[in-house]
Amino acid sequence: MTYSGAVKVGGPADVHELQDLMISKVAVGPMDNNAYLLRCRATGEQLLIDAANDAETLLTLIGADGIASVVTTHRHGDHWQALAAVVAATRPRTYAGRDDAEGIPVPTDVLVGDGDTIKVGRVELTARHLVGHTPGSIALVYDDPHGHPHVFTGDCLFPGGVGNTWKNPQAFASLIDDVETKIFGTLPDETWVYPGHGNDTTLGTERPHLAEWRARGW
């Protein structure tokens, strides 16, 4: 089956099978949040991005192998509703952005800054600190040595624009500057984007609209 990234709450996971990494995407909760389970194909080690909601669904996805780590992309409550239950059941190491950890009601074991790396088995992810949606939002970049990069953007980049900055001009300017510099400025058009809600996209699809987003201010 070809991966599309189109998932629905209550529906099955969609699995993106790469040479070194398997990425399983599910939608959970009343705000249609995406959660991503990454599995290193060489070691079987697993990492969860955003234990957003519906712990039962996430624990079923995780399975008997458990997870070694869980990353919370940012402090907003819809992205950590199931975190306490998932941590209690699987005892993973917890990661979050240095400037957002205080807003997450589960202790963060590792505070993450721009350029820090997080490993899942033999696979390495690079964190990008993106300021504006929240003070400490992080995106995770997997630069696949066998193909194009993949980036998990939380609520900082979606099909059609950057994340919500609530009509705050300073926050919007900060977010779009960071997204343009650290994501579009360093990654190619083929980069696959996995957002915190809704469908996936690619940087090539979104890049032509950057000036339009700046002009409209959201």
Side-chain angles (χ1 to χ4, degrees):
M1 295 290 291
T2 301
Y3 174 81
S4 70
V7 292
K8 295 181 178 181
V9 175
D14 198 6
V15 182
H16 204 167
E17 297 198 27
L18 310 178
Q19 186 165 330
D20 295 338
L21 187 69
M22 291 181 62
I23 302 167
S24 299
K25 176 182 181 179
V26 292
V28 293
M31 296 185 71
D32 195 18
N33 285 74
N34 296 325
Y36 300 94
L37 182 70
L38 280 54
R39 183 181 181 92
C40 172
R41 298 180 77 115
T43 67
E45 186 171 293
Q46 298 190 124
L47 174 151
L48 182 69
I49 298 175
D50 283 346
N53 209 303
D54 194 353
E56 183 178 352
T57 292
L58 297 180
L59 291 171
T60 298
L61 179 69
I62 289 166
D65 289 343
I67 52 174
S69 48
V70 56
V71 180
T72 303
T73 58
H74 62 290
R75 66 169 64 185
H76 288 157
D78 59 308
H79 289 260
W80 49 252
Q81 290 297 308
L83 183 60
V86 168
V87 168
T90 61
R91 300 296 176 187
R93 181 172 293 181
T94 56
Y95 294 80
R98 184 177 306 279
D99 297 323
D100 266 13
E102 66 179 10
I104 299 168
V106 175
T108 298
D109 297 320
V110 182
L111 300 174
V112 180
D114 192 61
D116 288 349
T117 56
I118 301 171
K119 290 188 175 181
V120 49
R122 298 178 187 171
V123 170
E124 188 170 273
L125 309 171
T126 301
R128 291 300 172 206
H129 180 205
L130 307 172
V131 181
H133 183 68
T134 66
S137 289
I138 54 172
L140 298 176
V141 179
Y142 170 49
D143 192 359
D144 187 353
H146 310 289
H148 56 73
H150 300 256
V151 57
F152 302 87
T153 56
D155 282 1
C156 288
L157 177 63
F158 296 97
V162 295
N164 196 344
T165 52
W166 298 276
K167 299 182 180 180
N168 180 317
Q170 291 77 26
F172 171 74
S174 174
L175 181 57
I176 198 163
D177 283 349
D178 277 359
V179 166
E180 188 164 6
T181 301
K182 298 180 182 180
I183 303 298
F184 286 95
T186 62
L187 298 170
D189 284 351
E190 296 78 15
T191 302
W192 196 278
V193 177
Y194 305 82
H197 304 261
N199 292 333
D200 299 355
T201 186
T202 65
L203 292 188
T205 300
E206 307 304 325
R207 193 185 301 275
H209 304 289
L210 282 167
E212 171 193 337
W213 301 350
R214 280 191 178 276
R216 76 187 185 191
W218 56 274

